[in-house]
């Protein structure tokens, strides 16, 4: 690949000012896009696609049964031409588009779709393939005819239709499904039907994709049709932040992921656009583990919620691409209600609540009760943007009301174990993206992500805490058949979580990318994973 | 001679087995394990029952002696197992990382030796007396440059400002230039310091005075007598530094986005990917054993005093 340098970029910037109207409409065919990733991908079993680097690859090489319109969040046809479900949402029937093939030449038909969802819905113990998080209550599939497949559920599963549109439901060939989990870290083993195919991989370093020339089954409601414009994509792992942004600005790359907020200006100043794609799920928040006696009192939790100045966090550390949170879920998420009146920064009220709860300041200005100090710990979460800095700023804010917060960075083993023990970690950092109300259940329900650590959930160290009222709200969201009622329940759950001060939402987390000015037609799926299907490189 | 070689070989195998056993049990003591870290990850959203199933499928909860025997036997067959985190065979990870490390470390080491030698020689050249203090302080400067800063500075200057060498998608040769300089500079410093000190020592030896008295020029004394004899202690430490270089390439690999054993080890430590760590330990142990064998065989060739006396023991 040739190098592109400053001068050309500058010339280009001048020219676009004049010719932009003309150039915008005619995609250029050909060229290889250089995409810089921050981290190497891990296992590419599609339900593991939540990890950003994994989603960035899977979204190019796999297609989904349905396509979720990122603007309207409506579920629209893709590999499924049409579908129907019974009133209870316990049965779904999909009509498959004819003529679709995987890149190994095998047909993407009803049989393949059935096998995919049997694996994602039930897992496969022998091959160590885990169950997908987005599929609830799955029972079995039935192939009606070569292009019709029907799915049965044990209980209503209203979120299933949207679940078929997520990265985690990417369709793969039967040969891929026959492999064990241990082999799916090799990108070459993931055979999908997407517009791009993995042609080469240097483990941990680079993944090369080439366009499929016979691709003609993209979502029918988008502008791009037929094969992709690009010849290929080179995904290069470049861990160092300053090297990614520097290489982009020096013309050595076309598109980069994970731009730090403080680097955004550098790009925009040179007319390199920033793309901040929303992840539309549970906001970047701090969750409490109420099983820990220090935070079991709702007044203490409320005090800490009001002692947190999210506005200061956003203004000090981030850019306008990181909106301050106004509820548990993002403003662009389905079922969002604005609850900013419950999230007011009010240190005076915080102090009063702590006094009421019996925590009084000692000579150091730290609150104490029965000889115990109000000192809490939290582990930083490296995947979240500037998480250490965020937590340290929150620690400063809490110190103003006499509470100590220690931010720890541990090895993965201690961190994973300590995070299962509410006595060791009374707080945790949480965030998850999914454009369906089910996301709230995913985050807080005991047998899902269990952010609050409830009894009977992911940890056997929890002694007492369990909130059945919250849990029944969450179950109802995932099983409510009437769409309006479902959104209503989602709103109730957000209110409930904040009234009990179980979480302190900080900001809505985007995935931030930067592109070269000559790169056009980039799009993002509903939770911010990039799609290069319609992308093209303008001559420059 | 044959007997002693067999003896050394047996010793080496014992060292390898000890390294395996020690690392196996040390890795077991760490809190948590790779399977827990992988499947407890919220990105997968698994329920506790599902995680327990996965642990069962991996045999993670079977007795430790069973796991030990299983791993040992597999390794003897050349099977290093699977990386839970990366989802590929460990042998594939090693195969894609070891060449990258060697191709960085060996030229880096050569350049470091060259730099050290040039510094030492220049500071002793009779014509450069005025610069001696400056040249002698260069190693101290080199050793205090943080690798991270050095790498970024080189990239900013030569790749982003001067546009001479691309850092993204370079040709294999272009891809080596800046990283090799980055690893060579800090390694050259201790080499240069030892060489300088060794030169000072050798210069006071009687045979140097003899050479001078015989009328040899200052240049001839430096090149023929002093430098040649000053090299021995440097060779001794060079072996150690080469090991440090291979292990310490992590920062360079990260800054330049290169693959390599440093990078691989760091990720494996992060995720407690025991199979990968075990393999890295074994490779390091094997390298160490081989270098020692090589030194034992070569030393008598370099230093006649170490050659066995015919007929003696």
């Amino acid at each position: 690949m040739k190098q592109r340098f400053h001068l050309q970029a500058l010339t280009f910037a001048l020219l676009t000012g004049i010719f932009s109207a003309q150039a915008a409409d005619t995609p250029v065919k050909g060229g290889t896009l250089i995409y810089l990733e921050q981290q190497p991908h891990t296992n590419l079993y599609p339900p593991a696609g939540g990890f950003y680097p994994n989603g960035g690859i899977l979204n190019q090489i796999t297609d989904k049964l349905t396509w979720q319109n990122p603007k309207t969040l409506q579920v629209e046809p893709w590999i499924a031409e049409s579908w129907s479900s019974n009133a209870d949402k316990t049965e779904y029937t999909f009509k498959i588009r004819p003529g679709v093939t995987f890149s190994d030449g095998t047909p993407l038909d009803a049989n393949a779709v059935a096998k995919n969802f049997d694996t994602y819905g039930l897992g496969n113990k022998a091959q160590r393939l885990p169950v997908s998080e987005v599929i609830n209550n799955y029972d079995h599939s039935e192939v009606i005819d070569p292009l019709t497949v029907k799915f049965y559920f044990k209980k209503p599963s209203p979120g299933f239709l949207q679940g078929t549109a997520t990265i985690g439901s990417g369709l793969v060939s039967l040969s891929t499904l026959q492999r064990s989990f241990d082999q799916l870290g090799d990108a070459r083993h993931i055979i999908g039907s997407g517009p791009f195919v993995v042609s080469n991989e240097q483990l941990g370093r680079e993944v090369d994709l080439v366009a499929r020339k016979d691709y003609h089954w993209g979502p029918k409601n988008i502008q791009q049709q037929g094969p992709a414009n690009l010849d290929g994509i080179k995904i290069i792992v470049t861990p160092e932040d300053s090297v990614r942004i520097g290489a982009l600005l020096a013309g050595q790359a076309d598109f980069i992921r994970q731009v730090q907020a403080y680097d955004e200006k550098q790009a925009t100043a040179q007319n390199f656009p920033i793309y901040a794609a929303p992840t539309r799920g549970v906001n970047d928040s701090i969750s409490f583990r109420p099983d820990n006696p220090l935070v079991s009192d709702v007044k203490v939790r409320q005090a800490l919620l009001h002692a947190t100045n999210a506005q200061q966090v956003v203004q000090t550390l981030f850019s306008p691409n990181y909106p301050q949170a106004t509820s548990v879920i993002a403003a662009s998420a389905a079922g969002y209600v604005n609850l900013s009146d419950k999230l007011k920064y009010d240190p005076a009220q915080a102090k009063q609540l702590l006094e009421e709860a019996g925590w009084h300041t000692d000579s150091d200005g730290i609150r104490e009760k029965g000889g115990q100090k109000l000192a809490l710990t939290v582990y930083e979460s490296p995947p979240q943007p500037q998480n250490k800095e965020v937590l340290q700023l929150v620690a400063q804010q809490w110190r103003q009301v006499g509470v100590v917060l220690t931010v720890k960075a541990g090895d993965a083993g201690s961190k994973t174990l300590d995070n299962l023990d509410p006595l060791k970690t009374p707080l945790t950092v949480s965030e998850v993206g999914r454009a369906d109300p089910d996301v709230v259940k995913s985050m807080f329900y005991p047998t899902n992500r269990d952010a609050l650590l409830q009894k009977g959930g992911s940890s056997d160290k929890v002694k007492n805490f369990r909130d059945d009222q919250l849990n029944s709200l969450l179950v109802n969201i995932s099983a409510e058949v009437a769409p309006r009622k479902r959104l209503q329940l989602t709103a109730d759950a957000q209110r409930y979580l904040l009234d009990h001060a179980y979480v302190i939402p900080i900001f809505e987390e985007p995935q931030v990318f930067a592109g070269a000015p000559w790169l056009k037609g980039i799009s993002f799926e509903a939770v911010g994973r990039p799609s290069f299907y319609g992308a093209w490189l303008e001559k420059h | 001679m044959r007997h002693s070689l067999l003896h050394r070989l047996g010793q080496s195998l014992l060292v390898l087995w000890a390294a395996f056993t020690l690392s196996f049990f040390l890795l077991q003591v760490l809190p948590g394990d790779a399977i827990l870290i992988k499947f407890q990850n919220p990105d997968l959203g698994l329920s506790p029952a599902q995680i327990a199933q996965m642990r069962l499928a991996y045999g993670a909860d079977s007795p430790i002696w069973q796991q030990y025997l299983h791993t040992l036997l597999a390794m003897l067959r050349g099977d290093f197992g699977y990386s839970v985190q990366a989802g590929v065979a460990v042998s594939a990870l090693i195969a894609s990382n070891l060449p990258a490390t060697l191709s960085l470390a060996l030229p880096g080491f050569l350049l470091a030796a060259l730099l050290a030698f040039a510094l030492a020689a220049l500071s002793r050249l009779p014509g450069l007396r005025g610069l001696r203090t400056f040249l002698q302080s260069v190693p101290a400067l080199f050793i205090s440059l943080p690798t991270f800063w050095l790498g970024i500075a080189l990239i900013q200057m030569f790749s982003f400002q001067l546009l001479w060498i691309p850092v993204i998608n370079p040709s294999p040769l272009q891809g080596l230039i800046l990283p090799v300089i980055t690893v060579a500079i800090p390694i050259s410093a201790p080499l240069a310091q030892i060489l300088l000190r060794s030169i000072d020592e050798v210069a006071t030896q009687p045979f140097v005075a003899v050479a001078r008295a015989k009328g040899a020029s200052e240049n001839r004394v430096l090149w023929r007598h002093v430098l040649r004899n000053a090299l021995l202690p440097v060779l001794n430490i060079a072996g150690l530094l080469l090991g440090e270089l291979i292990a310490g390439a992590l920062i360079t690999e990260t800054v330049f986005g290169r693959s390599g054993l440093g990078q691989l080890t760091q990720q494996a430590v992060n995720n407690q990917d025991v199979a990968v760590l075990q393999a890295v330990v074994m490779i390091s142990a094997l390298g160490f054993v081989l270098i020692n064998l090589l030194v034992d065989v070569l030393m008598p060739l370099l230093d006649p005093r170490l050659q066995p006396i015919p007929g003696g023991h």
Side-chain angles (χ1 to χ4, degrees):
Chain A
M1 186 73 194
K2 64 188 192 302
Q3 285 111 49
R4 311 187 187 87
F5 297 135
H6 273 318
L7 189 65
Q8 288 161 305
L10 190 70
T11 321
F12 171 81
L14 292 174
L15 286 178
T16 37
I18 308 163
F19 298 115
S20 58
Q22 265 178 313
D25 303 324
T26 45
V28 175
K29 299 274 178 197
T32 298
L33 175 101
I34 306 282
Y35 174 36
L36 304 188
E37 233 313 330
Q38 185 198 28
Q39 288 169 280
H41 68 79
T42 58
N43 200 300
L44 291 175
Y45 175 54
F51 184 52
Y52 289 143
N54 295 4
I57 297 173
L58 285 170
N59 204 33
Q60 325 308 325
I61 64 175
T62 62
D63 293 332
K64 272 70 93 178
L65 215 41
T66 58
W67 182 69
Q68 188 172 23
N69 187 323
K71 287 200 186 77
T72 61
L73 298 188
Q74 287 302 306
V75 176
E76 299 177 10
W78 191 351
I79 297 303
E81 285 181 326
S82 63
W83 53 84
S84 61
S85 57
N86 64 353
D88 278 356
K89 305 282 179 196
T90 54
E91 293 173 25
Y92 288 83
T93 310
F94 291 87
K95 275 281 192 203
I96 311 296
R97 185 170 178 159
V100 180
T101 56
F102 291 108
S103 59
D104 62 1
T106 58
L108 198 180
D109 53 11
N111 180 44
V113 173
K115 291 275 173 4
N116 269 270
F117 283 94
D118 283 350
T119 307
Y120 301 161
L122 302 170
N124 184 322
K125 228 198 278 185
Q127 291 160 234
R128 300 164 181 175
L129 300 171
V131 177
S132 165
E133 166 179 36
V134 297
I135 302 175
N136 283 307
N137 307 326
Y138 188 85
D139 194 67
H140 71 283
S141 64
E142 186 187 338
V143 176
I144 307 278
D145 67 50
L147 292 175
T148 312
V149 60
K150 191 167 178 183
F151 297 109
Y152 295 87
F153 293 82
K154 294 184 204 109
K155 280 190 271 181
S157 194
F160 178 67
L161 182 63
Q162 190 273 343
T164 64
T166 62
I167 297 263
S169 297
L171 299 168
V172 292
S173 77
L174 296 179
S175 65
T176 301
L177 291 175
Q178 274 158 14
R179 292 186 184 272
S180 76
F181 190 70
D182 297 327
Q183 297 175 302
L184 298 182
D186 189 328
R188 288 164 293 198
H189 289 166
I190 314 296
I191 306 295
S193 61
F196 293 93
V197 181
V198 176
S199 62
N200 196 17
E201 169 172 36
Q202 296 170 40
L203 283 174
R205 170 86 199 102
E206 187 177 316
V207 177
D208 294 333
L209 308 178
V210 290
R212 260 185 90 171
K213 293 295 171 212
D214 60 345
Y215 187 86
H216 59 268
W217 46 80
K220 71 171 195 194
N221 293 346
I222 63 171
Q223 199 187 355
Q224 180 74 17
Q225 295 294 318
N229 302 319
L230 297 165
D231 287 336
I233 303 164
K234 226 179 221 314
I235 303 171
I236 302 176
V237 178
T238 312
E240 177 49 37
D241 291 339
S242 67
V243 174
R244 281 198 310 284
I245 187 87
L248 176 76
L249 298 178
Q252 297 180 26
D254 306 299
F255 195 62
I256 64 172
R257 189 179 78 79
Q258 190 78 327
V259 178
Q260 300 299 344
Y262 45 78
D263 280 332
E264 286 183 11
K265 267 202 190 115
Q266 212 187 330
T268 45
Q270 299 185 40
N271 285 321
F272 281 60
I274 295 286
Y275 301 88
T279 55
R280 291 176 217 271
V282 174
N283 287 327
D284 213 303
S285 321
I286 296 171
S287 299
F288 286 100
R289 271 72 190 277
D291 204 53
N292 183 313
L294 291 175
V295 296
S296 60
D297 186 342
V298 63
K299 284 198 167 145
V300 172
R301 298 196 302 268
Q302 280 168 339
L304 293 174
L305 185 145
H306 292 300
T308 307
N309 187 349
Q311 191 185 7
Q312 189 192 29
V313 172
V314 172
Q315 285 178 351
T316 314
L317 297 172
F318 294 107
S319 70
N321 290 321
Y322 299 73
Q324 184 185 342
T326 49
S327 178
V328 177
I329 55 176
S332 54
Y336 158 85
V337 278
N338 187 335
L339 299 176
S340 43
D341 56 325
K342 294 186 193 290
L343 295 171
K344 285 220 172 70
Y345 170 58
D346 188 346
Q349 195 190 350
K351 284 179 190 160
Q352 193 196 330
L353 281 161
L354 287 168
E355 290 290 335
E356 283 171 24
W359 292 93
H360 307 294
T361 46
D362 63 6
S363 52
D364 316 337
I366 296 167
R367 295 202 179 253
E368 219 180 50
K369 183 165 138 182
Q372 202 177 10
K373 286 186 191 297
L374 193 46
L376 308 168
T377 53
V378 64
Y379 273 96
E380 61 162 307
S381 169
Q384 265 68 52
Q386 297 194 73
N387 188 251
K388 189 176 169 193
E389 290 79 2
V390 169
L391 292 173
Q392 280 168 345
L393 186 50
V394 169
Q396 279 178 34
Q397 294 167 356
W398 289 7
R399 191 66 185 75
Q400 308 292 315
V401 299
V403 179
V404 175
L405 176 66
T406 311
V407 183
K408 283 172 61 170
D411 63 282
S414 324
K415 185 180 160 182
T416 308
L417 281 180
D418 285 1
N419 258 329
L420 286 171
D421 186 347
L423 288 181
K424 286 196 174 134
T425 54
L427 304 160
T428 191
V429 174
S430 46
E431 189 276 340
V432 56
R434 182 181 171 191
D436 186 86
D438 265 5
V439 74
V440 184
K441 181 199 170 229
S442 270
M443 180 56 93
F444 297 103
Y445 197 66
T447 53
N448 293 113
R449 296 183 179 227
D450 195 19
L452 309 176
L453 285 187
Q454 301 196 43
K455 198 174 176 183
S458 57
S459 167
D460 54 13
K461 297 235 163 52
V462 179
K463 301 215 170 54
N464 300 307
F465 175 69
R466 191 175 170 91
D467 189 330
D468 285 321
Q469 208 180 332
L470 172 67
N471 294 341
S472 72
L473 254 177
L474 298 173
V475 171
N476 290 342
I477 293 174
S478 75
E480 175 54 57
V481 183
R484 186 171 295 178
K485 185 83 200 301
R486 198 159 170 247
L487 295 183
Q488 184 60 47
L489 285 165
T490 309
D492 291 347
Q494 293 167 67
R495 275 191 206 98
Y496 191 92
L497 284 160
L498 291 187
D499 285 340
H500 292 76
Y502 284 143
V503 277
I504 306 176
I506 313 273
F507 63 90
E508 300 183 359
E509 185 173 315
Q511 255 208 102
V512 181
F513 303 82
W518 52 81
L519 174 64
K520 309 279 179 182
I522 285 283
S523 62
F524 299 89
E525 53 93 71
V527 292
R529 272 63 174 172
S531 165
F532 299 114
Y533 176 40
W536 50 282
L537 295 164
E538 198 159 38
K539 295 272 181 281
H540 63 276
Chain B
M1 193 68 191
R2 178 177 293 170
H3 173 77
S4 84
L5 199 67
L6 277 178
H7 184 72
R8 291 285 294 116
L9 223 63
Q11 266 184 344
S12 306
L13 286 177
L14 210 67
V15 167
L16 287 177
W17 173 75
F20 172 81
T21 306
L22 201 66
S23 57
F24 181 87
F25 287 101
L26 283 177
L27 289 169
Q28 297 295 326
V29 176
L30 294 175
D33 60 55
I35 296 159
L36 181 76
I37 294 165
K38 173 77 197 179
F39 292 103
Q40 192 69 48
N41 183 348
D43 277 350
L44 285 175
L46 296 182
S47 75
Q50 287 159 349
I51 292 173
Q53 268 186 11
M54 286 298 142
R55 296 188 65 82
L56 213 62
Y58 272 94
D61 294 326
S62 59
I64 189 159
W65 62 268
Q66 248 177 34
Q67 293 186 41
Y68 173 77
L69 276 185
H70 180 259
T71 317
L72 182 63
L73 290 175
M75 213 168 253
L76 286 176
R77 289 196 312 268
D79 171 9
F80 287 87
Y82 280 93
S83 155
V84 176
Q85 192 68 28
V88 286
V90 173
S91 51
L93 282 176
I94 301 288
S96 71
N97 283 288
L98 188 60
T101 295
L102 292 179
S103 69
L104 175 64
L106 295 179
F109 186 71
L110 284 180
L111 182 64
L114 211 71
L115 273 173
F117 194 77
L119 267 176
L122 282 178
S123 70
R124 288 290 155 188
L125 275 187
L128 289 175
R129 283 237 165 79
L131 282 175
R132 185 166 292 175
T133 327
F134 168 73
L135 285 169
Q136 282 180 341
S137 63
V138 168
L141 172 71
F142 276 7
I143 212 162
S144 54
L145 283 181
T147 313
F148 178 76
W149 179 87
L150 182 64
I152 299 267
L154 287 174
I155 291 177
Q156 284 292 343
M157 190 158 162
F158 294 106
S159 189
F160 297 163
Q161 298 302 317
L162 297 171
L163 309 173
W164 286 353
I165 306 170
V167 70
I168 301 304
N169 228 3
S171 71
L173 187 67
Q174 286 175 325
L176 273 178
I177 299 172
L178 297 180
V180 162
I181 296 175
T182 310
V183 295
I185 285 184
I187 290 286
S188 71
L191 279 180
Q193 273 172 336
I194 284 162
L195 192 57
L196 281 168
R197 192 177 309 155
S198 177
I199 288 174
D200 284 343
E201 244 166 57
V202 173
T204 63
Q205 301 268 320
F207 72 84
V208 176
V210 171
R212 271 210 192 91
K214 280 181 171 171
S217 72
E218 278 299 303
N219 270 326
R220 188 176 161 81
V221 168
L222 175 67
W223 294 104
R224 293 278 312 189
H225 300 279
V226 177
L227 267 179
R228 260 179 81 169
N229 285 288
L231 273 179
L232 271 171
V234 178
L235 286 181
N236 273 329
I237 194 166
L240 277 178
L241 283 177
L242 182 63
E244 188 182 309
L245 181 60
I246 290 176
L250 165 66
I251 295 170
T252 312
E253 286 167 5
T254 306
V255 169
F256 288 90
R258 290 176 59 88
S259 46
L261 286 188
Q263 182 90 293
L264 181 70
T265 310
Q266 188 243 355
Q267 277 161 20
V269 168
N270 240 339
N271 301 309
Q272 266 181 46
D273 214 332
V274 176
V276 177
L277 289 174
Q278 195 88 61
V280 169
V281 168
M282 292 318 283
I283 287 175
S284 320
L286 190 68
F288 178 77
V289 161
L290 285 179
I291 287 178
N292 268 288
L293 270 177
L294 200 70
V295 169
D296 282 0
V297 171
L298 288 183
M299 273 309 249
L301 298 181
L302 294 174
D303 192 339
R305 283 170 300 179
L306 295 174
Q307 271 168 14
I309 304 154
H313 291 284

